[in-house]
Amino acid sequence: MQNTKLLQAQGQTESIQMLSVQPDTKPKGCAGCNRKIKDRYLLKALDKYWHEDCLKCACCDCRLGEVGSTLYTKANLILCRRDYLRLFGVTGNCAACSKLIPAFEMVMRAKDNVYHLDCFACQLCNQRFCVGDKFFLKNNMILCQTDYEEGLMKEGYAPQVR
Ligand SMILES: [Zn+2]
Ligand SMILES: [Zn+2]
Ligand SMILES: [Zn+2]
Ligand SMILES: [Zn+2]
């Protein structure tokens, strides 16, 4: 028996170190596909053994053995770091409507602010933005280019909802 250290789950973050271990003489069953693991290397995580191909993120299907040495679990899901943070991380409050944004929701980010997708629009004309569109932040208001430039031309800029 070689190199099968016990794994420690860090209770708080629920991140778990994966080990690449060499199998014993007796083949282990894979916790993913239930077949025997005959590969040279297998992964040990959550006190179970896995084919390198079978330990996948429940969300994006990426092979966790390749992504890094850490995986995350919650509610019986095995997740990569990115999906874990997306699903269970704290997003914060929407800078437009100031309601809390559920962590699993898609958000727009501008500087330090986060927005609901629905809230991310020019706050004067309600124009929506696509990825790559230009937008401006002025006094923490989202503005489209037109409204931003119009505002610059007026003296004593005081935006009014049209
Ligand atoms: Zn398998
Ligand atoms: Zn993932
Ligand atoms: Zn919002
Ligand atoms: Zn606008």
Side-chain angles (χ1 to χ4, degrees):
M1 178 146 176
Q2 16 179 340
N3 199 25
T4 47
K5 283 181 224 146
L6 266 185
L7 300 174
Q8 288 179 338
Q10 299 165 339
Q12 290 231 311
T13 59
E14 293 154 312
S15 77
I16 289 164
Q17 294 289 309
M18 267 182 294
L19 285 182
S20 219
V21 296
Q22 289 175 323
D24 303 329
T25 41
K26 207 174 139 213
K28 307 268 187 237
C30 167
C33 66
N34 287 321
R35 272 175 284 194
K36 290 256 185 287
I37 304 172
K38 292 171 186 152
D39 306 359
R40 250 189 93 196
Y41 293 98
L42 53 98
L43 294 171
K44 188 179 182 196
L46 305 170
D47 278 333
K48 291 172 189 160
Y49 296 92
W50 310 76
H51 289 113
E52 281 180 276
D53 282 339
C54 288
L55 195 57
K56 284 187 208 161
C57 168
C59 257
C60 67
D61 258 2
C62 64
R63 284 174 52 168
L64 292 164
E66 283 173 359
V67 174
S69 56
T70 308
L71 60 85
Y72 295 76
T73 62
K74 184 126 178 167
N76 285 328
L77 291 173
I78 296 177
L79 297 166
C80 67
R81 178 184 160 79
R82 204 186 45 184
D83 285 318
Y84 177 83
L85 290 180
R86 191 166 61 79
L87 289 169
F88 301 109
V90 178
T91 306
N93 289 72
C94 173
C97 70
S98 64
K99 285 186 201 135
L100 196 74
I101 302 178
F104 52 83
E105 220 174 282
M106 294 275 292
V107 293
M108 293 295 285
R109 287 176 193 277
K111 291 196 180 155
D112 292 334
N113 297 337
V114 286
Y115 302 88
H116 293 109
L117 276 195
D118 286 344
C119 291
F120 194 79
C122 171
Q123 285 174 268
L124 290 184
C125 70
N126 280 325
Q127 186 204 302
R128 298 295 200 89
F129 302 96
C130 302
V131 176
D133 281 357
K134 240 185 187 175
F135 67 89
F136 297 83
L137 269 182
K138 181 153 178 127
N139 303 328
N140 250 339
M141 281 182 63
I142 311 162
L143 295 175
C144 67
Q145 189 160 13
T146 318
D147 285 319
Y148 177 76
E149 280 167 5
E150 238 172 68
L152 281 187
M153 287 190 299
K154 291 179 198 158
E155 240 202 356
Y157 184 69
Q160 276 166 12
V161 179
R162 275 177 225 161

